[in-house]
């Protein structure tokens, strides 16, 4: 695997390496396949293989073609950070199969170092999200996590962290003990290299399942944590957001709260900032949180003031919801430059 370019701060991400397999379909076809429209649901391997075959045989998919696009929450964030000019590396697992090789190649092709080579002879196949898009633009996702969810501490190599200033973790990988161990090892490696470690809480249901462990992580090795209103409330089991943020700030040095359609709140020690959202008509909300994190981490990495880093996150999020897809299409750096932020 190639090394990242030798310029600027170095950001490492750890997350699920999920290939998005996207194809058009008709409304009636969803019902035939037993897919609930507009939601993401986790499926088992057999169901995944059935849906892959069904998608390949779908008239709409055959006519317009399906696309394979490397995805996953943290991977999307790294793509955004890389587009803003910083070095990035991704720690994630794929099998040495067609999807895994394509995922690794796409990641490297986009400028992010794919640290772990595809696993030969893996018992589980590469992860994929089978996305069926109806004529109204609604996405219905069936996600099989496969080998991606098996990432463990043995996949985190200390040498990768040399020169790394920032680490970003994905809460979704917190579901297994080996994922938790990988996070702790990565944070230790990052701190040893002089960097800062952070996590996105990712999902209130994930927080509910692992609340005690998340609380220990937030109060321990995490230097910054990003969550939305529901995730912070779930973590501290309170209905009042301000109380949740007060408790979070007592645990962690930097707390960031996104609020759908409302200004983001950023707290670092005794400093509190508010970053205004960019109000646009959303075309596809997929990736809003991922790209907010990209803009924010980029801002923090280049030493921008807290409020400015939050504004960068909001601008990046607004760009990605203005079109279909979870990664930027416009030159986000140019958008930041137009606002005097870079």
């Amino acid at each position: 695997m190639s090394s990242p370019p030798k310029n600027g701060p170095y950001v490492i991400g750890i997350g699920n390496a999920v290939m998005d397999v996207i194809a058009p379909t008709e409304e009636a076809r969803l019902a035939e396949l037993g897919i609930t429209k507009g939601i993401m649901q986790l499926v088992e391997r057999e169901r995944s293989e059935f849906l892959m075959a069904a998608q390949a045989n779908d008239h709409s998919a055959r006519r317009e073609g399906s696309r394979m696009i490397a995805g996953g929450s943290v991977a999307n964030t790294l793509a955004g950070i890389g587009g803003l000019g910083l070095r990035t590396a991704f720690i994630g697992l794929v099998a040495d199969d067609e999807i895994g090789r394509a995922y690794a190649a796409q990641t490297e092709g986009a400028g992010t170092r794919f640290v772990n080579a595809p696993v030969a002879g893996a018992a589980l196949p590469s992860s994929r999200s089978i996305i069926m898009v109806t004529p109204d633009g609604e996405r219905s996702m069936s996600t099989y996590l496969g080998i991606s969810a098996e990432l463990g501490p043995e996949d985190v190599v200390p040498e990768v962290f040399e020169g790394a200033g920032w680490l970003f973790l994905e809460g979704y990988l917190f579901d297994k003990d080996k994922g938790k161990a990988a996070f702790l090892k990565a944070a230790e490696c990052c701190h040893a290299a002089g960097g800062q470690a952070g996590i996105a809480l990712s999902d209130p249901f994930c927080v509910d399942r692992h609340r005690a462990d998340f609380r220990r992580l937030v109060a321990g090795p995490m230097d910054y944590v990003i969550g939305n209103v529901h995730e912070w409330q779930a973590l501290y089991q309170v209905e009042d957001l301000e109380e949740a943020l007060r408790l979070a700030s007592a645990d962690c040095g930097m707390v960031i709260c996104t609020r759908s359609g409302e200004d983001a709140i950023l707290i670092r020690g005794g400093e509190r900032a508010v970053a205004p959202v960019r109000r646009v008509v959303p075309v596809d909300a997929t990736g809003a949180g991922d790209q907010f994190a990209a803009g924010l981490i980029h801002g923090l990495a280049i030493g921008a003031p807290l409020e400015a880093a939050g504004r960068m996150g909001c601008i990046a999020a607004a760009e990605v919801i203005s079109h279909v897809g979870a990664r930027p299409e416009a030159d986000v750096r140019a958008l930041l430059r137009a606002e005097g932020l870079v």
Side-chain angles (χ1 to χ4, degrees):
M1 296 291 174
S2 62
S3 296
K6 304 296 183 183
N7 64 294
Y10 180 20
V11 182
I12 296 177
I14 300 181
N16 283 309
V18 183
M19 182 68 86
D20 291 340
V21 185
I22 308 169
T25 194
E26 300 298 324
E27 296 269 357
R29 185 68 168 149
L30 295 182
E32 288 175 18
L33 296 172
I35 295 173
T36 303
K37 182 180 175 181
I39 68 165
M40 191 283 284
Q41 57 185 353
L42 294 177
V43 298
E44 298 299 324
R45 180 174 180 173
E46 185 177 358
R47 173 69 171 165
S48 169
E49 292 171 351
F50 168 77
L51 291 175
M52 286 279 287
Q55 188 185 60
N57 291 324
D58 189 281
H59 293 299
S60 297
R62 287 207 305 271
R63 183 175 63 250
E64 299 182 36
S66 62
R67 297 175 294 150
M68 290 204 304
I69 302 174
S73 180
V74 162
N76 290 335
T77 295
L78 291 174
I81 293 171
L84 288 168
L86 302 188
R87 296 188 295 150
T88 55
F90 179 60
I91 296 173
L93 288 187
V94 296
D96 188 13
D97 52 24
E98 179 186 3
I99 286 177
R101 290 188 294 272
Y103 191 98
Q106 284 190 26
T107 301
E108 290 262 336
T112 291
R113 179 185 176 192
F114 193 79
V115 173
N116 306 79
V119 180
L124 296 173
S126 297
S127 310
R128 75 289 307 264
S129 182
I130 302 152
I131 303 174
M132 299 191 175
V133 186
T134 44
D136 61 359
E138 192 78 56
R139 291 176 160 215
S140 305
M141 296 175 278
S142 301
T143 301
Y144 169 63
L145 292 178
I147 193 174
S148 180
E150 299 303 310
L151 186 137
E154 67 278 6
D155 302 305
V156 177
V157 181
E159 290 75 19
V160 172
F161 290 80
E162 292 177 7
W166 296 83
L167 170 68
F168 187 47
L169 306 170
E170 180 177 311
Y172 289 124
L173 264 179
F174 214 58
D175 261 331
K176 293 190 175 183
D177 287 343
K178 59 175 65 178
K180 296 173 185 176
F183 281 7
L184 292 174
K185 182 178 179 181
E188 182 179 313
C189 293
C190 180
H191 287 147
Q196 297 199 49
I199 190 171
L201 295 176
S202 295
D203 185 284
F205 300 108
C206 188
V207 170
D208 284 337
R209 288 193 296 273
H210 306 284
R211 182 175 292 106
D213 285 337
F214 265 120
R215 289 281 296 273
R216 281 191 287 271
L217 194 68
V218 170
M222 293 299 100
D223 300 293
Y224 67 99
V225 181
I226 304 171
N228 64 28
V229 174
H230 306 295
E231 290 154 4
W232 284 119
Q233 290 171 331
L235 184 63
Y236 291 97
Q237 293 180 283
V238 295
E239 293 185 8
D240 181 70
L241 175 61
E242 287 300 322
E243 177 64 7
L245 295 181
R246 184 189 69 78
L247 293 168
S249 298
D251 282 345
C252 184
M254 193 183 327
V255 171
I256 299 99
C257 179
T258 59
R259 302 182 293 167
S260 180
E262 296 185 52
D263 298 347
I265 300 170
L266 305 94
I267 304 170
R268 181 168 57 192
E271 178 186 6
R272 179 174 174 132
V274 175
V277 296
R278 309 276 294 192
R279 299 196 181 279
V280 299
V281 177
V283 174
D284 177 7
T286 307
D290 302 341
Q291 296 312 317
F292 173 85
L296 173 81
I297 293 169
H298 169 265
L300 296 174
I302 65 172
L306 190 60
E307 187 267 347
R311 286 175 61 198
M312 292 182 193
C314 290
I315 290 170
E319 189 283 332
V320 82
I321 68 173
S322 68
H323 58 76
V324 175
R327 297 188 177 187
E329 291 184 352
D331 183 346
V332 178
R333 187 169 180 81
L335 299 177
L336 301 185
R337 190 179 300 115
E339 297 288 329
L341 293 170
V342 294

